[in-house]
């Protein structure tokens, strides 16, 4: 699935990933390919991405945001 992370100034990250683990209001949740469409508010925590082409996880500390899943495209606004 394609993920795009946008902050106030630019596109921070854009790549294809196998999974995303994000800090939601009620705890961490995981998004995999073909996930049902939804929107979630993110709280402070660590956003973890598993890129398709790299065995290493990509992790960033976030201070809240919004995550949207739609047709194997994930948009995250920080």
């Amino acid at each position: 699935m394609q993920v795009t992370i946008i902050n106030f100034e630019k596109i921070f990250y854009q790549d294809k990933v196998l999974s995303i683990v994000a800090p939601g209001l009620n705890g961490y949740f995981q998004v995999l390919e073909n996930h049902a469409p939804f929107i979630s508010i993110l709280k402070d925590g660590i956003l973890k991405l598993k890129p398709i082409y790299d065995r290493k996880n990509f992790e960033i500390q976030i201070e809240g945001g919004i995550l949207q899943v739609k047709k194997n495209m994930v948009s995250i606004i920080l």
Side-chain angles (χ1 to χ4, degrees), residues 1-2 17-19 30-38 69-74:
M1 76 189 133
Q2 180 71 32
V17 298
L18 295 172
S19 69
Q30 185 175 32
V31 178
L32 299 171
E33 194 165 341
N34 297 319
H35 198 289
F38 80 102
V69 179
K70 186 176 181 182
K71 296 183 181 179
N72 282 326
M73 296 189 69
V74 179

Side-chain angles (χ1 to χ4, degrees), residues 50-61:
K50 177 66 176 162
I52 289 177
Y53 305 111
D54 191 358
R55 292 182 183 251
K56 231 174 151 179
N57 286 345
F58 179 75
E59 297 182 358
I60 57 171
Q61 180 73 36

Side-chain angles (χ1 to χ4, degrees), residues 3-5 12-17 19-22 46-52 54-62 76 78:
V3 64
T4 303
I5 301 175
F12 178 76
Y13 181 90
Q14 191 170 30
D15 203 357
K16 291 190 176 195
V17 298
S19 69
I20 300 168
V21 177
I46 297 174
L47 182 65
K48 299 177 186 178
L49 307 170
K50 177 66 176 162
I52 289 177
D54 191 358
R55 292 182 183 251
K56 231 174 151 179
N57 286 345
F58 179 75
E59 297 182 358
I60 57 171
Q61 180 73 36
I62 64 169
I76 302 170
L78 303 176

